[in-house]
Structure formats: C-alpha cells, structure tokens
Amino acid sequence: EKAARPAKAAEKAKVAVGGGGASAERTAQLARQRAAMDRAAGQRRRDADENRTGLRRSVLAETGVAVVLLAVTTVLSGTQPGRAETEQKQAAGGGSASGTASAGPVDVKIPYDTGGADGRGTARITIDPARSGDNTVEARAEGPDGRPVDVPELDISLTEKEKKIGPLHTSLNRLSAGRWKATGFQLPMAGDWQLTLTVRTSDIDQVTEIKNVKIN
C-alpha cells in the first residue's frame, strides 16, 4: 500500500498539469521524495521504539540485580562472625567462653599510723585470684622510706557485710622481715568484701584500717 502511494501521487500530478511535460515529472519526483521521507521517518520511529524497549529491559534487569545485592548485603551486615559474637557474649557476661567469671589479683595499698615511734608505714596487700574459692593473700609492710618493716603483728580479715559473712581471718605466716603470706584462703562467694587490716608496732601502739575489695 505504501509503495502504491508514489504512483497515485504521480498520476494526480499529471492530471493536474494536463498529462505530461517537465512540470509533471517534477511533481512526480517530489512525490517520490516525500514518500521516501515518510518511510525513513517511520523506520526511525520503529527503531526508537525498539531502543526504548531495550532500554526498559536493561533498566529493569539492573534494578533487579540491585535489589538482590541490597538484600544480600543487609543479611550479611546483620550476621556477626562466630568469633566476634562469642567475644561479645563474653564481654556482656563478664566471663570466659566456659561461663567462668574472669578474675585477677587485687592489689590494695593501705597507709597506717599507730601513733607511736616508727608507727607510720604502708601495707601492700595482694589477693590472688580474687574470686570465690581458694585464694592466696600476701602482705608487705613498708616504712616511709619504702624499706620492709618487721612489725610485731599484722592481721587481715574479710567480711561480707551485706550477706553477714565473716570476719574471716587469713592466718598469715611470716616469710621474712615485713612479708606475710596465707595460702588456701577460702572466700565462699563473690561480692563487695570489707578488708580489715590491723597493725601493731609496739605493745601499746596499734591501729585498724578498713578497705573495700571486689571479689568475683
């Protein structure tokens, strides 16, 4: 049908000019050119439609891939590695992987002054591992110059006042000048314990100092 249009247009042109001549030929040529332009325009429209269809398909495909990647990223970001998750649980629970509460030595420094001659000094006390069960208690007495002081008496006890446990005496053994130690000292439970230190520097010069310690 499109091919027949130029012929009809040419016939009309010939009829209009009385059938033939240069003017009729020119009119027919213009009609053919117009028909060719119409075909070219139609082809461009079809090509444009095909390009738009391909573009739509490409956009849809890329959108689908992006949605899948976003979903996978969301799942992965919400899942912790096994080790990180275990460490986080340990930190929240304050213990190790086996569920045992972590503990470490507790060091306490207690200045004292019995009021007599050479009555001033410092007691350094270590409780290891500072948790319920067996513990080792060490005590060192030092003078103002930092040297060991061999005082006549040094006593340490612990009391859990809230649970009304104690006082529990440590039964310190003298190791050397200014140094005492007790092993196998039993603390029945974790909590905030009150450490009581009694130092005697002469028959009449004595003082008692109190310090709180944390037992796990």
Side-chain angles (χ1 to χ4, degrees), residues 49-177:
D49 290 340
E50 292 178 357
N51 290 336
R52 283 195 293 270
T53 300
L55 180 61
R56 285 194 296 269
R57 291 175 180 172
S58 177
V59 171
L60 289 175
E62 291 178 1
T63 302
V65 172
V67 170
V68 172
L69 290 176
L70 179 60
V72 172
T73 302
T74 301
V75 172
L76 291 177
S77 62
T79 304
Q80 299 187 48
R83 181 178 178 182
E85 187 174 359
T86 300
E87 292 175 352
Q88 189 178 64
K89 289 180 179 179
Q90 292 176 17
S96 62
S98 62
T100 303
S102 61
V106 169
D107 295 307
V108 182
K109 182 179 178 181
I110 305 177
Y112 64 84
D113 185 355
T114 64
D118 300 324
R120 295 175 61 244
T122 300
R124 300 178 183 273
I125 301 165
T126 301
I127 303 175
D128 188 14
R131 67 183 178 195
S132 59
D134 285 348
N135 287 269
T136 297
V137 180
E138 282 195 72
R140 297 173 183 268
E142 299 174 352
D145 57 359
R147 295 181 179 180
V149 176
D150 198 15
V151 298
E153 181 181 350
L154 189 145
D155 180 73
I156 295 173
S157 64
L158 284 97
T159 304
E160 220 293 2
K161 295 183 70 68
E162 185 177 346
K163 301 295 190 301
K164 297 181 180 179
I165 301 174
L168 306 177
H169 291 273
T170 56
S171 300
L172 293 169
N173 295 314
R174 183 181 179 277
L175 301 179
S176 60

